[in-house]
Amino acid sequence: MAEKASNYTTYKKMTREELGDSTKYIKVINKDKIGRKVKPVMEIDQAKIDEDLKYAGYNLMVTSELDMDPLQVYNTYHNL
């Protein structure tokens, strides 16, 4: 148990182990408005949830081709 605990060097690693991919919806705040360290506080990142819900159900394609016509992008990448 001590060895496992020593692998958690940050709160992010600990939450990733426990919560998996859902950690992207959690914010850990460990500094106050002035910049002083305080006891870590975890809260839900509602902005990130709303952003992901906006695109839920869509299949998105990402490309570096900025000058291609959208139909040409589709024809090039649709079989991937």
Side-chain angles (χ1 to χ4, degrees):
M1 290 176 68
E3 184 179 332
K4 183 177 180 179
S6 67
N7 290 330
Y8 295 133
T9 55
T10 64
Y11 285 105
K12 188 168 189 149
K13 284 185 180 180
M14 182 175 63
T15 56
R16 172 71 66 189
E17 176 77 21
E18 296 295 323
L19 300 174
D21 288 338
S22 63
T23 56
K24 64 183 176 181
Y25 301 121
I26 295 176
K27 283 195 281 188
V28 178
I29 301 168
N30 60 356
K31 292 187 178 181
D32 63 9
K33 293 179 182 181
I34 302 172
R36 295 180 296 186
K37 286 189 174 188
V38 294
K39 183 178 177 183
V41 177
M42 298 176 83
E43 62 183 42
I44 300 295
D45 188 351
Q46 190 61 45
K48 179 66 175 159
I49 293 171
D50 294 341
E51 177 74 13
D52 284 358
L53 285 174
K54 185 167 60 169
Y55 298 110
Y58 290 97
N59 292 324
L60 303 175
M61 290 189 295
V62 177
T63 181
S64 60
E65 301 297 329
L66 300 176
D67 298 327
M68 287 176 83
D69 179 60
L71 185 57
Q72 188 179 6
V73 171
Y74 174 78
N75 289 330
T76 302
Y77 293 110
H78 81 279
N79 287 326
L80 298 179

